[in-house]
Amino acid sequence: MLDKDLKEQLQGVFAELKHSIDLAVDASDHNQQIELLDFLRDLASTSPRITVTVGQEKSPAPRFRILKDGAFTGIIFRGIPGGHEFTSLVLAILNSAGQGKLPDRGLTQKIQGLPAKTHIRTYISLSCENCPDVVQALIQIALAHGDLTHEMVDGAMAPDELDKLKIQGVPSVVVGNELIHSGRSNLAELLNKLEAKLGSQKQSTEPRELGHFDVVVIGGGPAGASAAIYSARKGLKTVVIAEKIGGQVQETKDIENLISVVKTEGPHLSSALDKHMAAYNIQVLEHRRVEQVSTGKKRAITLSSGETLTTDTLIVATGAKWRELNIPGEKEYIGRGVAFCPHCDGPYYKGKKVAVVGGGNSGVEAAIDLAGICSSVTLYEFMDQLKADQVLVDKLYSLPNVKVLLQAKTTAVVGNGDNVVGLRYEDRRDSSQHEEKLDGIFVQIGLSPNSGFVKDLVSVNRMGEIVVDEKGRTSVPGIYAAGDVTTVPYKQIVIAMGDGAKVALAAFEDRMRGEI
């Protein structure tokens, strides 16, 4: 099942395995059991450290656990983890063996505060591009904890469970029979949600003070990585605090406008940013959020992990996130009819009626994609014309099962307690109120700057963007900002990279002049 080139790559990946890994398969009468066994045996052939065994425990669907040196690691896969989840399996093997990028000590202490004997399930689709990030994060949480389990479940193998749990989108994270998260996420956000659901039973007694840094960069995307590298090259003690390295870039499929690179993908560029920062003396604190920034010349920063640090220079490069509608019913039905990724969740609405909110490029592209599998698609646009490129608009209007509503202000998501059944909107031309019966709503209204933690400290505009001068200085001396979180026009990767470098140089210049 694995081609020759991939097997050769895996031989290199697994060459340094220092522990025995057993892929322990449950017995099953499922018609894909043989396919799973062939798949895993093919994988195991790439390393003498990896074996495949079949146990006595019976499972209705193909299912296996990962054992390290004969001990259960807490990692379970139900289904055949091919497609986008193949990387999750490879990383699970490496992480189980104590290799690869693992949570640092501070994060591990926070993870180990979760209660033991908890079983977490993540329902996925093998075509979902956002699912691997969630699966891999929860695998790391399970391994770092040591006494909780995580099971990846291919939704196609468990349709009855999806119906019972009212799941209409992936990835969906479930504890017990409660959905605690749906959609794209990262380790920091998932850990916070697990703590909110389960509580934290252990508080670390070790010091949480990380010390003083010349430069603290908040954000690990193109702007943040660039600012950190330029700061480190000046010999400054630099730390990067980020929820995930790469930021929004991680979720970008094809990148074809990064000058000198004809084509790359978001995860590849994110990995390159990580490697570039690793080449310098830069401390990286990943999977953290900044909770508070104090005023004063020596700024104290408090992290979601409970850690604190101080700095002379703060560079905010936190980028932006998908904007929500912020209307009644939206949050309640995320994962149960409200979605943000047509590629991930579109297949769950095959033959159904859906809405797309947003008439920019992303919204129109989503409507075009969904029109190929849904019975009908209605696109709602607040303005009096679509904002997408004309070639996309022409394609949209050529589709027979697409309806476009202009000057439509969405006012509420309508649900029946289990899932979405409709969308209310106002016709802005005459203020009349309407409700359309729908099975799903895809929100595609652009990005919102991640400036909430400093919006009361520095000046922001009505959109929440941090107001900066031509060198990235904010309204507060010693605090700078770069990239998509700022008022700098044109939210592009190449611009964010240059902006991060510029701001780091400006901060260094101010330091040399004694202004910091």
Side-chain angles (χ1 to χ4, degrees):
M1 294 176 68
L2 305 180
D3 63 42
K4 181 182 176 182
D5 290 343
L6 180 55
K7 282 187 175 181
E8 289 180 355
Q9 291 178 35
L10 291 173
Q11 287 171 358
V13 168
F14 295 140
E16 299 301 319
L17 282 179
K18 295 178 174 60
H19 296 272
S20 296
I21 299 295
D22 182 33
L23 306 177
V25 183
D26 291 343
S28 179
D29 296 326
H30 195 279
N31 59 14
Q32 288 184 271
Q33 177 76 350
I34 298 300
E35 183 182 347
L36 173 65
L37 288 170
D38 289 344
F39 171 77
L40 294 180
R41 286 165 179 160
D42 220 15
L43 176 68
S45 71
T46 64
S47 171
R49 291 279 192 178
I50 303 175
T51 57
V52 178
T53 58
V54 180
Q56 299 298 314
E57 186 175 341
K58 205 90 185 262
S59 172
R63 185 173 182 262
F64 66 96
R65 297 169 294 140
I66 296 181
L67 279 63
K68 182 185 85 170
D69 298 334
F72 178 40
T73 61
I75 306 307
I76 306 167
F77 287 85
R78 197 191 328 167
I80 303 172
H84 292 296
E85 290 302 337
F86 182 69
T87 301
S88 297
L89 173 57
V90 172
L91 289 175
I93 291 172
L94 290 173
N95 292 165
S96 294
Q99 295 174 227
K101 191 173 182 180
L102 300 167
D104 57 43
R105 187 179 67 170
L107 203 57
T108 297
Q109 290 173 347
K110 188 173 172 67
I111 291 169
Q112 289 176 345
L114 295 171
K117 311 303 180 185
T118 300
H119 182 60
I120 305 165
R121 305 192 304 280
T122 303
Y123 292 87
I124 61 94
S125 164
L126 296 179
S127 63
C128 170
E129 296 176 355
N130 292 324
C131 293
D133 285 345
V134 172
V135 171
Q136 291 161 27
L138 289 167
I139 285 172
Q140 290 200 336
I141 287 173
L143 291 171
H145 186 280
D147 199 15
L148 60 78
T149 57
H150 175 263
E151 181 176 12
M152 182 220 80
V153 184
D154 180 357
M157 296 283 184
D160 292 343
E161 291 179 36
L162 296 183
D163 289 342
K164 181 181 177 181
L165 295 166
K166 310 298 182 186
I167 289 174
Q168 290 185 289
V170 290
S172 287
V173 181
V174 174
V175 175
N177 287 317
E178 182 179 342
L179 177 70
I180 67 166
H181 176 80
S182 182
R184 63 168 62 90
S185 192
N186 54 63
L187 193 151
E189 182 179 17
L190 291 166
L191 181 54
N192 287 339
K193 290 193 173 184
L194 287 170
E195 285 183 327
K197 165 65 179 173
L198 303 170
S200 183
Q201 296 184 337
K202 181 175 69 174
Q203 297 296 324
S204 171
T205 57
E206 293 189 29
R208 310 291 280 169
E209 170 58 53
L210 301 179
H212 184 79
F213 293 84
D214 297 324
V215 178
V216 169
V217 179
I218 305 176
S226 177
I229 289 168
Y230 267 75
S231 296
R233 285 174 62 87
K234 293 297 185 182
L236 300 175
K237 185 181 179 183
T238 303
V239 63
V240 172
I241 301 165
E243 290 191 33
K244 59 180 177 180
I245 300 304
Q248 193 74 16
V249 167
Q250 284 271 17
E251 297 157 15
T252 305
K253 189 173 176 64
D254 294 326
I255 299 168
E256 299 178 345
N257 56 0
L258 183 58
I259 309 307
S260 83
V261 180
V262 176
K263 184 176 181 178
T264 186
E265 295 182 348
H268 294 160
L269 179 56
S270 299
S271 177
L273 294 175
D274 197 15
K275 289 178 181 177
H276 200 165
M277 286 194 291
Y280 291 90
N281 187 23
I282 299 170
Q283 185 173 347
V284 176
L285 298 174
E286 197 175 5
H287 309 305
R288 268 86 160 177
R289 285 181 176 175
V290 172
E291 297 284 347
Q292 185 178 2
V293 178
S294 72
T295 56
K297 205 166 186 179
K298 184 179 179 182
R299 305 193 183 282
I301 300 167
T302 303
L303 308 183
S304 57
S305 57
E307 297 156 316
T308 61
L309 60 156
T310 58
T311 187
D312 304 318
T313 301
L314 178 63
I315 299 176
V316 180
T318 42
K321 61 184 176 183
W322 293 109
R323 190 183 299 275
E324 297 180 2
L325 295 169
N326 291 319
I327 59 176
E330 180 185 28
K331 288 189 181 297
E332 292 88 336
Y333 287 98
I334 289 176
R336 296 188 294 156
V338 175
F340 297 86
C341 178
H343 304 295
C344 304
D345 298 337
Y348 290 96
Y349 298 89
K350 184 176 181 180
K352 297 183 178 181
K353 294 179 63 176
V354 301
V356 173
V357 182
N361 280 347
S362 60
V364 172
E365 287 174 349
I368 292 170
D369 287 345
L370 291 166
I373 57 176
C374 299
S375 62
S376 69
V377 179
T378 303
L379 187 145
Y380 295 80
E381 167 54 41
F382 184 83
M383 304 302 289
D384 60 0
Q385 62 181 4
L386 299 177
K387 304 182 291 293
D389 295 341
Q390 192 60 46
V391 64
L392 293 174
V393 173
D394 292 343
K395 173 65 176 176
L396 182 74
Y397 278 115
S398 74
L399 300 173
N401 60 336
V402 173
K403 177 173 68 175
V404 177
L405 296 178
L406 300 175
Q407 297 194 65
K409 177 185 177 182
T410 54
T411 57
V413 172
V414 183
N416 62 8
D418 291 329
N419 45 52
V420 166
V421 297
L423 179 64
R424 292 182 187 142
Y425 70 96
E426 175 187 310
D427 187 332
R428 296 175 56 237
R429 293 170 297 187
D430 57 14
S431 298
S432 58
Q433 304 297 313
H434 305 268
E435 180 177 323
E436 184 158 356
K437 301 299 183 184
L438 296 164
D439 301 301
I441 301 165
F442 289 82
V443 181
Q444 300 281 297
I445 55 172
L447 300 172
S448 175
N450 294 314
S451 60
F453 67 100
V454 290
K455 66 181 178 63
D456 296 325
L457 188 60
V458 300
S459 295
V460 298
N461 64 12
R462 65 179 183 84
M463 301 295 291
E465 296 172 326
I466 298 174
V467 178
V468 293
D469 68 9
E470 71 279 1
K471 291 189 176 182
R473 301 183 183 95
T474 71
S475 58
V476 178
I479 300 181
Y480 303 78
D484 289 4
V485 74
T486 73
T487 50
V488 170
Y490 312 117
K491 312 305 184 184
Q492 299 291 310
I493 293 171
V494 68
I495 291 174
M497 286 181 170
D499 208 34
K502 176 188 71 178
V503 168
L505 293 173
F508 180 75
E509 180 180 74
D510 291 347
R511 175 183 288 272
M512 293 301 97
R513 291 176 174 175
E515 296 176 12
I516 298 178

